[in-house]
Amino acid sequence: MTVKLRSEVNVEETWNLKDLFETEEAFNQAIKNLTEAVDQFVEKHKGKITDAVSAIHALKDYEKIYEMVIPAGTYASLSLSTDQTNDEAQMRASKFDSTAAKVFSKVSFLNSELSELPAETIEEAMNESAEFKNYLEKLLLFKPHQLHPEVEKTLAAFQSSFDAPYGLYNTTKLVDMNFGEFEVNGKMYPLSYNIFEGSLEADPDAEVRRAAYKAFYDKLKDYQHTTAKTYDAHLQTEKTTSDLRGFDNIFESLLFDQQVDRELYNRQIDLIMSELAPHMRKYAKLLQKVHGLDKMTFADLKIPLDPTFEPKITVEESRKYMQDGLQIMGEDYINMVNRSFDERWIDFAQNKGKSTGAFCSSPYGVHPYILISWSGSMDDVFVLAHELGHAGHFYNAHKNQNVFNSRPSLYFIEAPSTMNEMLMANHLLKNSDDPRFKRWVISAIIARTYYHNFVTHLLEAAYQRKVYERIDAGESVNAGILNTYKRSVLEEFWGEDVEIQEGAELTWMRQPHYYMGLYPYTYSAGLTISTQVSQRILKEGQPAVNAWLEVLQAGGTKTPVELSKMAGVDITTEQPLRDTIAFIGSLIEQLETLTNEIEVGSN
């Protein structure tokens, strides 16, 4: 068995990018049209934004340009994400990046001229055109950090260069790294990023799992210095930008667009590191006991609690899970779910060069696209529910908001996605009293929903904070420093209950999130919100669902605090987080109780 090439996968397992552009010629024409529209925009508005009326006219024309950029950028990005080895896709993405840099450099005068207007003029424009109120409010907040127009133009022109480290990271990871095969007891197993993360990392056979772990991390080790240098280049760009714009520190700079303060950021990391760790160590010991392991190692943390009960789930069977688990969200939402299958919004295939993990891209004016590498496990069902949560969010937001108002703060972005995982779990638990089935569902919630979002991404965040503190102090990082930071975070969280064996320190190489600012901690922030709202839905039913749908439709018109309050959660206090950690603890206690029941029943 070998990893398939993209050309060898079934087209029905792939997404249909023709909804973006029917042909390559259409894409090239769109790039040409965009370039011409920008030149016309510059001629029409540059140096002429002097009052509220001219500001509104310029924003209306800019809105049209922004709506032209999105499908072209999405097409270039998505076609590359399914096969990073494809020369044509690489060149297309580069062409778009170059065009986008020129576009945003040319139109950078817009924010510069708007920022130079008196505050009362901007307020007048906000009053006369509610659709741009949100855009202008953010502009006013950013005004102290706005640089000279020529500097802004130059920075925008260099954007594709600033984004280069992320592209280099993906090329190293998905093109240059060849994992080959590994052998266990005379049998050869193929290995790749997607195969390791999709199945081998959780293989019930300890010999296979640990051998896969060693082979995987041995290959990562070969590329640690290049990857570290790439990451440092990205960090230095962020630090320089933060200093240029006059932020007090890099954290303030990166949290600015998230519309939250550092207290919320630190609280999320500190409380989970200290108070969730004992619960998760208990879960690790339960895994060790059930599987009869000689010791619990980092390589064993992803194994299912009851692998013999794990059904293999086909793509079509997953649709039924989505329909049943998410039906509480209403007919329109389920229609969106069905369309995602029928109209090929989802890329299920496993192939060489495909991006790892899963994501949802939601281009304004089209429909969402979901990338996942389907292996047929229950984990995949929760991952798909998660990504459909993103899709449902922007499906609702795009229908109710303009392109400037549809996207909320990054802090809130993972709440709708993790909400779907909770709804799926609630549905499954409600429909069976069988102890083994209940244990399977609860263990899936812990192993997928909470481990992934409250452990994996949170440990990324704790490590990332150490990195940024170093960068903020004017220093750099290399592979040795990053390895030390990552190992220290893993050892602090797992204590003596889990052996952090050689290779685990290289886990920092696996995630692209470090190239997306302070993103990792937002997973636990979003899941804190969705855990509380899902409990409210269990108690109140339809009124709570209706409130949640209103939150989705609000898009980015409110801050994370305001959106959470709409859903009945006050994130200005630590109570929702403490309640969520306690809820996770109660689930692990249920797993212990159910395991004892099952063991007694089988004797």
Side-chain angles (χ1 to χ4, degrees):
M1 177 185 170
T2 57
V3 183
K4 289 183 179 180
L5 299 176
R6 183 67 178 179
S7 59
E8 297 172 333
V9 302
N10 185 343
V11 70
E12 292 303 314
E13 297 177 6
T14 66
W15 51 29
N16 177 20
L17 297 185
K18 289 188 175 182
D19 290 344
L20 288 163
F21 293 101
E22 187 70 30
T23 63
E24 191 68 20
E25 291 72 26
F27 169 76
N28 290 328
Q29 185 62 49
I31 294 291
K32 182 181 177 184
N33 294 344
L34 172 62
T35 303
E36 291 173 355
V38 168
D39 289 340
Q40 291 167 9
F41 178 81
V42 173
E43 185 178 349
K44 182 177 179 182
H45 296 290
K46 188 172 184 180
K48 300 169 187 174
I49 302 174
T50 56
D51 54 24
V53 172
S54 57
I56 292 168
H57 286 164
L59 283 168
K60 284 181 177 177
D61 286 344
Y62 179 58
E63 182 179 18
K64 294 172 188 172
I65 287 173
Y66 202 62
E67 289 178 358
M68 293 173 73
V69 170
I70 290 171
T74 304
Y75 184 76
S77 172
L78 295 188
S79 57
L80 182 62
S81 68
T82 53
D83 188 1
Q84 297 271 349
T85 69
N86 185 293
D87 289 343
E88 186 180 318
Q90 290 175 11
M91 292 303 99
R92 184 189 299 115
S94 295
K95 177 178 181 178
F96 173 77
D97 288 345
S98 176
T99 300
K102 291 173 185 173
V103 164
F104 288 114
S105 178
K106 287 182 178 180
V107 302
S108 65
F109 75 87
L110 174 65
N111 282 353
S112 294
E113 292 190 20
L114 287 172
S115 295
E116 291 170 0
L117 294 174
E120 55 269 21
T121 303
I122 294 179
E123 287 167 8
E124 182 186 345
M126 288 160 59
N127 292 331
E128 291 183 12
S129 185
E131 62 190 306
F132 300 123
K133 182 174 183 290
N134 193 40
Y135 185 99
L136 292 169
E137 281 180 343
K138 290 177 180 175
L139 185 96
L140 279 175
L141 288 172
F142 192 70
K143 191 171 183 176
H145 307 289
Q146 187 80 15
L147 302 174
H148 186 279
E150 288 304 312
V151 177
E152 293 290 351
K153 182 178 180 180
T154 302
L155 287 175
F158 272 103
Q159 192 56 52
S160 62
S161 299
F162 295 156
D163 292 340
Y166 179 49
L168 181 56
Y169 165 79
N170 277 322
T171 300
T172 305
K173 173 180 175 179
L174 300 172
V175 181
D176 286 345
M177 285 190 193
N178 183 357
F179 292 88
E181 297 179 320
F182 66 97
E183 182 180 354
V184 177
N185 296 326
K187 183 178 178 181
M188 302 303 295
Y189 294 83
L191 184 61
S192 71
Y193 249 104
N194 280 319
I195 293 175
F196 180 73
E197 294 184 349
S199 58
L200 288 172
E201 190 175 26
D203 196 294
D205 187 319
E207 279 193 80
V208 172
R209 181 176 65 253
R210 291 176 178 178
Y213 171 94
K214 185 177 187 310
F216 180 80
Y217 279 98
D218 280 351
K219 179 56 65 174
L220 290 191
K221 188 175 182 179
D222 291 342
Y223 291 85
Q224 61 178 317
H225 299 294
T226 299
T227 307
K229 194 68 177 176
T230 301
Y231 183 37
D232 187 58
H234 171 76
L235 292 167
Q236 299 304 331
T237 299
E238 288 183 315
K239 172 61 175 169
T240 301
T241 303
S242 169
D243 290 345
L244 279 175
R245 293 199 177 281
F247 285 100
D248 289 342
N249 53 68
I250 199 167
F251 294 96
E252 182 185 328
S253 171
L254 295 172
L255 288 170
F256 184 88
D257 284 337
Q258 292 189 19
Q259 300 172 290
V260 294
D261 58 31
R262 198 165 173 182
E263 181 186 351
L264 267 68
Y265 166 73
N266 283 330
R267 177 205 297 157
Q268 205 69 28
I269 298 172
D270 293 336
L271 266 180
I272 295 176
M273 283 295 291
S274 62
E275 298 192 13
L276 180 64
H279 296 304
M280 294 309 299
R281 291 175 191 175
K282 186 187 292 187
Y283 174 67
K285 298 302 283 185
L286 179 63
L287 285 176
Q288 181 181 358
K289 173 190 170 188
V290 169
H291 285 270
L293 297 173
D294 55 335
K295 59 182 176 181
M296 193 67 186
T297 74
F298 186 73
D300 302 317
L301 287 168
K302 293 292 186 73
I303 51 177
L305 188 61
D306 191 354
T308 60
F309 200 73
E310 280 271 323
K312 291 299 287 184
I313 299 164
T314 66
V315 166
E316 194 52 41
E317 286 168 342
S318 75
R319 182 203 290 245
K320 186 69 166 63
Y321 274 102
M322 300 305 139
Q323 291 170 335
D324 293 346
L326 304 177
Q327 64 181 334
I328 194 170
M329 293 295 288
E331 185 179 345
D332 185 53
Y333 199 96
I334 294 301
N335 179 55
M336 182 273 301
V337 170
N338 284 326
R339 285 183 62 197
S340 73
F341 283 87
D342 295 335
E343 299 173 17
R344 289 175 46 214
W345 298 2
I346 309 169
D347 199 277
F348 294 101
Q350 286 200 30
N351 61 264
K352 181 177 173 59
K354 185 173 180 178
S355 291
T356 59
F359 66 74
C360 177
S361 176
S362 300
Y364 191 89
V366 192
H367 60 69
Y369 281 94
I370 292 170
L371 179 142
I372 181 173
S373 294
W374 192 260
S375 64
S377 68
M378 191 63 195
D379 191 56
D380 285 345
V381 172
F382 279 94
V383 172
L384 185 55
H386 178 104
E387 300 308 335
L388 282 167
H390 286 305
H393 185 188
F394 290 107
Y395 173 81
N396 276 277
H398 290 345
K399 284 201 301 183
N400 290 274
Q401 306 296 337
N402 68 20
V403 69
F404 296 136
N405 292 345
S406 64
R407 186 164 289 273
S409 155
L410 196 63
Y411 184 93
F412 193 83
I413 214 79
E414 295 298 339
S417 54
T418 52
M419 167 61 84
N420 274 17
E421 296 188 57
M422 298 309 300
L423 293 177
M424 184 66 66
N426 290 345
H427 166 74
L428 291 171
L429 287 172
K430 189 173 68 176
N431 284 280
S432 178
D433 290 323
D434 177 62
R436 199 170 176 198
F437 181 83
K438 287 186 73 172
R439 183 177 74 160
W440 173 62
V441 174
I442 294 171
S443 66
I445 301 167
I446 294 295
R448 158 63 211 172
T449 302
Y450 285 108
Y451 189 100
H452 190 66
N453 299 294
F454 252 76
V455 180
T456 298
H457 291 318
L458 194 281
L459 295 181
E460 289 173 10
Y463 150 84
Q464 187 184 42
R465 185 170 62 177
K466 290 176 180 286
V467 171
Y468 276 123
E469 286 170 347
R470 182 180 180 88
I471 297 300
D472 212 41
E475 299 183 62
S476 300
V477 294
N478 61 19
I481 290 164
L482 297 176
N483 291 343
T484 299
Y485 283 171
K486 188 63 183 180
R487 175 170 283 278
S488 70
V489 168
L490 293 173
E491 289 176 343
E492 178 186 349
F493 188 84
W494 292 111
E496 296 180 356
D497 295 301
V498 177
E499 179 185 312
I500 309 300
Q501 76 268 53
E502 185 180 351
E505 69 278 358
L506 297 168
T507 302
W508 62 267
M509 294 176 65
R510 292 174 57 178
Q511 285 292 357
H513 295 149
Y514 304 128
Y515 296 85
M516 303 171 189
L518 297 178
Y519 185 21
Y521 91 102
T522 66
Y523 280 87
S524 62
L527 184 51
T528 299
I529 296 164
S530 61
T531 298
Q532 300 308 306
V533 178
S534 68
Q535 293 299 301
R536 184 184 167 200
I537 287 174
L538 279 177
K539 293 172 188 170
E540 300 176 25
Q542 199 59 47
V545 173
N546 293 342
W548 185 243
L549 286 170
E550 287 181 12
V551 169
L552 302 186
Q553 291 161 8
T557 57
K558 298 182 183 298
T559 67
V561 169
E562 292 168 336
L563 289 170
S564 302
K565 198 159 287 187
M566 282 176 68
V569 182
D570 184 3
I571 60 170
T572 62
T573 75
E574 62 183 31
Q575 198 59 46
L577 180 53
R578 288 190 178 279
D579 289 345
T580 300
I581 292 172
F583 177 69
I584 298 170
S586 73
L587 290 177
I588 293 170
E589 287 176 3
Q590 287 182 60
L591 286 180
E592 290 181 316
T593 302
L594 289 165
T595 297
N596 290 334
E597 283 181 28
I598 292 165
E599 288 177 349
V600 169
S602 63
N603 292 333

Short mmCIF file of all heavy atoms in Angstrom, two decimals, residues 228-229 231-233 235-236 239 466-482 485:
data_model
loop_
_atom_site.label_atom_id
_atom_site.label_comp_id
_atom_site.label_asym_id
_atom_site.label_seq_id
_atom_site.Cartn_x
_atom_site.Cartn_y
_atom_site.Cartn_z
N ALA A 228 12.87 25.65 12.05
CA ALA A 228 13.06 26.65 13.10
C ALA A 228 13.48 27.99 12.52
O ALA A 228 13.00 29.06 12.95
CB ALA A 228 14.09 26.17 14.12
N LYS A 229 14.38 27.96 11.54
CA LYS A 229 14.83 29.20 10.90
C LYS A 229 13.67 29.88 10.16
O LYS A 229 13.53 31.11 10.19
CB LYS A 229 15.96 28.89 9.92
CG LYS A 229 16.73 30.11 9.44
CD LYS A 229 17.53 30.73 10.58
CE LYS A 229 18.36 31.91 10.11
NZ LYS A 229 19.06 32.59 11.22
N TYR A 231 10.49 29.62 10.96
CA TYR A 231 9.60 30.16 11.99
C TYR A 231 10.17 31.45 12.58
O TYR A 231 9.44 32.43 12.79
CB TYR A 231 9.39 29.10 13.07
CG TYR A 231 8.45 29.49 14.17
CD1 TYR A 231 7.29 30.25 13.93
CD2 TYR A 231 8.67 29.07 15.48
CE1 TYR A 231 6.43 30.60 14.96
CE2 TYR A 231 7.81 29.39 16.51
CZ TYR A 231 6.69 30.16 16.25
OH TYR A 231 5.83 30.50 17.26
N ASP A 232 11.48 31.47 12.82
CA ASP A 232 12.10 32.67 13.38
C ASP A 232 11.94 33.86 12.43
O ASP A 232 11.71 34.99 12.87
CB ASP A 232 13.58 32.42 13.67
CG ASP A 232 14.23 33.58 14.39
OD1 ASP A 232 13.75 33.93 15.49
OD2 ASP A 232 15.19 34.15 13.86
N ALA A 233 12.03 33.61 11.13
CA ALA A 233 11.85 34.69 10.15
C ALA A 233 10.45 35.28 10.27
O ALA A 233 10.25 36.50 10.21
CB ALA A 233 12.07 34.17 8.74
N LEU A 235 8.54 35.20 13.00
CA LEU A 235 8.44 35.88 14.29
C LEU A 235 9.09 37.26 14.25
O LEU A 235 8.54 38.23 14.81
CB LEU A 235 9.12 35.03 15.37
CG LEU A 235 8.43 33.71 15.72
CD1 LEU A 235 9.37 32.84 16.55
CD2 LEU A 235 7.13 33.96 16.48
N GLN A 236 10.23 37.36 13.59
CA GLN A 236 10.93 38.64 13.52
C GLN A 236 10.12 39.66 12.72
O GLN A 236 10.12 40.86 13.03
CB GLN A 236 12.32 38.46 12.92
CG GLN A 236 13.24 37.54 13.71
CD GLN A 236 13.43 37.98 15.16
OE1 GLN A 236 13.35 39.17 15.50
NE2 GLN A 236 13.66 37.02 16.04
N LYS A 239 7.43 40.90 15.07
CA LYS A 239 8.00 41.80 16.08
C LYS A 239 8.31 43.17 15.48
O LYS A 239 8.00 44.22 16.07
CB LYS A 239 9.28 41.17 16.66
CG LYS A 239 10.09 42.08 17.58
CD LYS A 239 9.30 42.53 18.80
CE LYS A 239 10.19 43.33 19.75
NZ LYS A 239 9.40 44.00 20.81
N LYS A 466 5.70 31.35 25.52
CA LYS A 466 7.12 31.39 25.88
C LYS A 466 7.96 31.93 24.71
O LYS A 466 8.87 32.73 24.90
CB LYS A 466 7.62 29.98 26.23
CG LYS A 466 7.10 29.40 27.53
CD LYS A 466 7.60 27.97 27.70
CE LYS A 466 7.12 27.32 28.98
NZ LYS A 466 7.82 27.84 30.17
N VAL A 467 7.61 31.49 23.50
CA VAL A 467 8.34 31.93 22.31
C VAL A 467 8.20 33.43 22.13
O VAL A 467 9.19 34.15 21.91
CB VAL A 467 7.84 31.18 21.06
CG1 VAL A 467 8.45 31.79 19.80
CG2 VAL A 467 8.19 29.70 21.15
N TYR A 468 6.95 33.93 22.22
CA TYR A 468 6.72 35.36 22.00
C TYR A 468 7.34 36.22 23.09
O TYR A 468 7.78 37.34 22.83
CB TYR A 468 5.22 35.65 21.87
CG TYR A 468 4.69 35.42 20.47
CD1 TYR A 468 3.65 34.54 20.23
CD2 TYR A 468 5.24 36.09 19.38
CE1 TYR A 468 3.15 34.33 18.94
CE2 TYR A 468 4.77 35.90 18.09
CZ TYR A 468 3.73 35.02 17.89
OH TYR A 468 3.26 34.82 16.61
N GLU A 469 7.39 35.71 24.31
CA GLU A 469 8.06 36.46 25.38
C GLU A 469 9.54 36.63 25.04
O GLU A 469 10.13 37.70 25.28
CB GLU A 469 7.88 35.73 26.71
CG GLU A 469 6.48 35.86 27.29
CD GLU A 469 6.24 34.95 28.49
OE1 GLU A 469 7.07 34.04 28.72
OE2 GLU A 469 5.21 35.12 29.16
N ARG A 470 10.12 35.60 24.47
CA ARG A 470 11.54 35.68 24.07
C ARG A 470 11.72 36.67 22.92
O ARG A 470 12.64 37.50 22.93
CB ARG A 470 12.03 34.29 23.66
CG ARG A 470 13.49 34.25 23.28
CD ARG A 470 13.94 32.84 22.90
NE ARG A 470 15.35 32.83 22.53
CZ ARG A 470 16.35 32.67 23.37
NH1 ARG A 470 16.10 32.48 24.66
NH2 ARG A 470 17.62 32.70 22.96
N ILE A 471 10.85 36.58 21.91
CA ILE A 471 10.94 37.47 20.76
C ILE A 471 10.70 38.92 21.18
O ILE A 471 11.37 39.84 20.71
CB ILE A 471 9.91 37.06 19.67
CG1 ILE A 471 10.22 35.66 19.14
CG2 ILE A 471 9.88 38.08 18.53
CD1 ILE A 471 11.58 35.50 18.51
N ASP A 472 9.76 39.12 22.10
CA ASP A 472 9.46 40.47 22.57
C ASP A 472 10.64 41.09 23.30
O ASP A 472 10.77 42.32 23.35
CB ASP A 472 8.23 40.43 23.48
CG ASP A 472 7.39 41.70 23.38
OD1 ASP A 472 7.21 42.21 22.25
OD2 ASP A 472 6.94 42.20 24.42
N ALA A 473 11.48 40.25 23.85
CA ALA A 473 12.68 40.73 24.55
C ALA A 473 13.82 41.02 23.57
O ALA A 473 14.94 41.33 23.99
CB ALA A 473 13.13 39.71 25.60
N GLY A 474 13.55 40.88 22.28
CA GLY A 474 14.54 41.21 21.26
C GLY A 474 15.45 40.06 20.88
O GLY A 474 16.48 40.28 20.24
N GLU A 475 15.08 38.84 21.25
CA GLU A 475 15.92 37.69 20.95
C GLU A 475 15.35 36.88 19.80
O GLU A 475 14.27 37.16 19.29
CB GLU A 475 16.07 36.82 22.20
CG GLU A 475 16.74 37.57 23.36
CD GLU A 475 16.96 36.68 24.56
OE1 GLU A 475 17.71 35.69 24.44
OE2 GLU A 475 16.37 36.98 25.62
N SER A 476 16.07 35.84 19.41
CA SER A 476 15.65 34.94 18.33
C SER A 476 15.45 33.55 18.89
O SER A 476 15.71 33.29 20.06
CB SER A 476 16.70 34.92 17.21
OG SER A 476 16.89 36.21 16.66
N VAL A 477 15.01 32.64 18.01
CA VAL A 477 14.87 31.24 18.41
C VAL A 477 15.57 30.33 17.39
O VAL A 477 15.78 30.73 16.25
CB VAL A 477 13.39 30.81 18.52
CG1 VAL A 477 12.69 31.56 19.63
CG2 VAL A 477 12.66 31.00 17.19
N ASN A 478 15.96 29.15 17.85
CA ASN A 478 16.46 28.11 16.96
C ASN A 478 15.84 26.79 17.39
O ASN A 478 15.04 26.74 18.33
CB ASN A 478 17.99 28.07 16.95
CG ASN A 478 18.57 27.74 18.32
OD1 ASN A 478 17.89 27.23 19.20
ND2 ASN A 478 19.85 28.05 18.51
N ALA A 479 16.21 25.72 16.73
CA ALA A 479 15.59 24.42 17.01
C ALA A 479 15.81 23.99 18.46
O ALA A 479 14.88 23.49 19.10
CB ALA A 479 16.14 23.37 16.05
N GLY A 480 16.99 24.21 18.97
CA GLY A 480 17.28 23.80 20.35
C GLY A 480 16.40 24.50 21.36
O GLY A 480 15.88 23.88 22.29
N ILE A 481 16.21 25.81 21.18
CA ILE A 481 15.37 26.60 22.09
C ILE A 481 13.91 26.16 21.97
O ILE A 481 13.22 25.97 22.99
CB ILE A 481 15.52 28.10 21.78
CG1 ILE A 481 16.91 28.58 22.19
CG2 ILE A 481 14.44 28.92 22.47
CD1 ILE A 481 17.31 29.90 21.60
N LEU A 482 13.42 25.98 20.76
CA LEU A 482 12.03 25.57 20.55
C LEU A 482 11.78 24.18 21.13
O LEU A 482 10.73 23.94 21.74
CB LEU A 482 11.68 25.60 19.06
CG LEU A 482 11.76 26.99 18.40
CD1 LEU A 482 11.47 26.87 16.90
CD2 LEU A 482 10.78 27.97 19.04
N TYR A 485 11.54 24.57 24.95
CA TYR A 485 10.27 25.16 25.36
C TYR A 485 9.12 24.15 25.25
O TYR A 485 8.29 24.02 26.15
CB TYR A 485 9.95 26.38 24.49
CG TYR A 485 10.72 27.64 24.83
CD1 TYR A 485 10.65 28.75 24.00
CD2 TYR A 485 11.51 27.72 25.95
CE1 TYR A 485 11.34 29.92 24.29
CE2 TYR A 485 12.23 28.88 26.25
CZ TYR A 485 12.14 29.97 25.41
OH TYR A 485 12.83 31.13 25.71
#
